[in-house]
Amino acid sequence: MSNPYEMREGFHVLTDTRSHEWCEAEFDAGRTTSRRWVVWDKIAATPQAKWVGPAPISAQIAPILGDAEEANTLPVFVSYAIPFRDAGGASSGGFRDVKSYQAWAKSFAQFIGESPAVVILEPDTLIHMPGLSTKQRRDRLACLTYAVQSFKHYAPNTYAYLDGGEGRYNSPASLAPWLAQAGIADARGFAVNVSNYNTTGVCQSFAVELCGILDLPDVGYVIDTSRNGNGPPPDSYIHANPTTWWGNPPGRKLGEKPQYTGGVNGFDATLWVKLPGESDGPYGVAPHSASSEFLPEVAYNLYYGR
């Protein structure tokens, strides 16, 4: 397997994010406010991941693969289409059955083909395992192992990362057996902190411990740093919002920008997996928003950490 990070010059900047589209609309309307410039310069112009859902794959990724090849940059995709996605939470959806998902995952890998890419496979799938039925667990593992094998076979220049938890509340010891059953031995590794707020240092410590338990050669990991600049909300906020604290909490901040970290001790890269400014659902500072809705004020405040 080739190292995709070393095949291209930096990460690809998407032009179809909601932050980018909002900035374009503001500019076209003549509204060149400080908020617009902050969102454009600090968020829309930063490489972010493309979330890919349960629809025909070519239309979702073909333009990005083409643009990335022309720019000699590395695209980052998030596969988010597994049946019973988000365990029926705010981001519920996905395919209705295992066979449909497997066919889609195969087409995803085949369409990427020889192109260098990074793919985060199904965030939240493994951290939800304890609360699922036996059949749901079996189906979920069947989807993940098939996807891992598909990328290994059809996309040799792609690094695929499984769900590695959020780096704080899911213990490495509890996640390691699920990662093993999901086929991590044939993937590049795992992703930590997707759509969460834990600091890079905390996530690194978590990931190093998890790598030690897995005891696999060359296992790597990436960390989502899109919103971890101030770390998680204070304990007082978490205790006051025990089931929804993760949804649009106040005072969060943009984290380190995406960069390839060289794979030292397995640490491959910091990535912006969750798109800053897009809602987690009707919670926190955006109680009337929908999941993935772009909120300009939230995006603006992420720059200042308020």
Side-chain angles (χ1 to χ4, degrees):
M1 178 184 292
S2 300
N3 183 340
Y5 298 109
E6 297 178 350
M7 298 175 71
R8 295 282 175 86
E9 296 294 328
F11 293 105
H12 185 63
V13 177
L14 300 174
T15 58
D16 67 344
T17 62
R18 292 180 175 90
S19 62
H20 192 285
E21 292 168 352
W22 179 82
C23 288
E24 291 278 7
E26 290 290 288
F27 183 81
D28 290 344
R31 293 188 288 268
T32 55
T33 61
S34 61
R35 183 171 67 171
R36 187 264 182 190
W37 286 112
V38 165
V39 174
W40 177 265
D41 186 54
K42 304 303 180 182
I43 294 178
T46 299
Q48 300 171 51
K50 173 66 175 181
W51 290 65
V52 182
I57 202 68
S58 59
Q60 297 189 75
I61 71 171
I64 295 168
L65 289 173
D67 290 347
E69 181 175 10
E70 184 175 348
N72 194 35
T73 50
L74 182 66
V76 178
F77 299 107
V78 182
S79 168
Y80 203 51
I82 202 161
F84 198 49
R85 190 175 67 190
D86 197 29
S91 298
S92 61
F95 281 101
R96 295 179 63 86
D97 58 78
V98 172
K99 287 186 177 180
S100 297
Y101 178 86
Q102 290 177 335
W104 177 85
K106 180 179 179 180
S107 68
F108 194 168
Q110 288 177 322
F111 202 90
I112 290 178
E114 299 286 335
S115 298
V118 169
V119 177
I120 312 298
L121 287 174
E122 307 300 333
D124 298 335
T125 51
L126 297 180
I127 62 172
H128 284 152
M129 281 296 204
L132 301 181
S133 69
T134 299
K135 182 182 184 305
Q136 288 169 333
R137 293 176 184 177
R138 184 171 60 247
D139 288 351
R140 187 157 289 198
L141 291 171
C143 290
L144 292 175
T145 54
Y146 190 92
V148 167
Q149 290 301 319
S150 294
F151 282 99
K152 179 182 179 181
H153 183 74
Y154 296 109
N157 298 320
T158 291
Y159 273 0
Y161 297 90
L162 288 160
D163 169 29
E166 42 68 57
R168 187 181 183 192
Y169 292 112
N170 308 111
S171 73
S174 67
L175 276 171
W178 294 120
L179 283 164
Q181 292 180 67
I184 195 170
D186 290 316
R188 169 56 187 168
F190 55 91
V192 182
N193 202 46
V194 172
S195 299
N196 221 291
Y197 309 94
N198 297 304
T199 65
T200 302
V202 166
C203 291
Q204 280 185 271
S205 297
F206 174 93
V208 168
E209 183 178 349
L210 182 50
C211 286
I213 295 172
L214 289 168
D215 194 25
L216 293 170
D218 301 323
V219 65
Y221 65 91
V222 295
I223 298 173
D224 183 359
T225 58
S226 59
R227 305 186 297 181
N228 75 343
N230 278 346
D235 288 342
S236 58
Y237 183 86
I238 294 174
H239 292 156
N241 303 273
T243 61
T244 62
W245 67 266
W246 45 266
N248 310 311
R252 300 314 93 211
K253 192 174 184 178
L254 300 174
E256 302 164 70
K257 290 196 173 183
Q259 63 175 331
Y260 172 47
T261 49
V264 178
N265 296 323
F267 188 10
D268 284 344
T270 56
L271 302 173
W272 280 17
V273 183
K274 171 68 178 181
L275 279 60
E278 292 195 6
S279 175
D280 299 306
Y283 315 111
V285 298
H288 304 295
S289 66
S291 180
S292 299
E293 177 184 353
F294 181 69
L295 307 169
E297 192 65 21
V298 170
Y300 182 68
N301 286 336
L302 279 170
Y303 173 64
Y304 291 102
R306 60 190 185 194

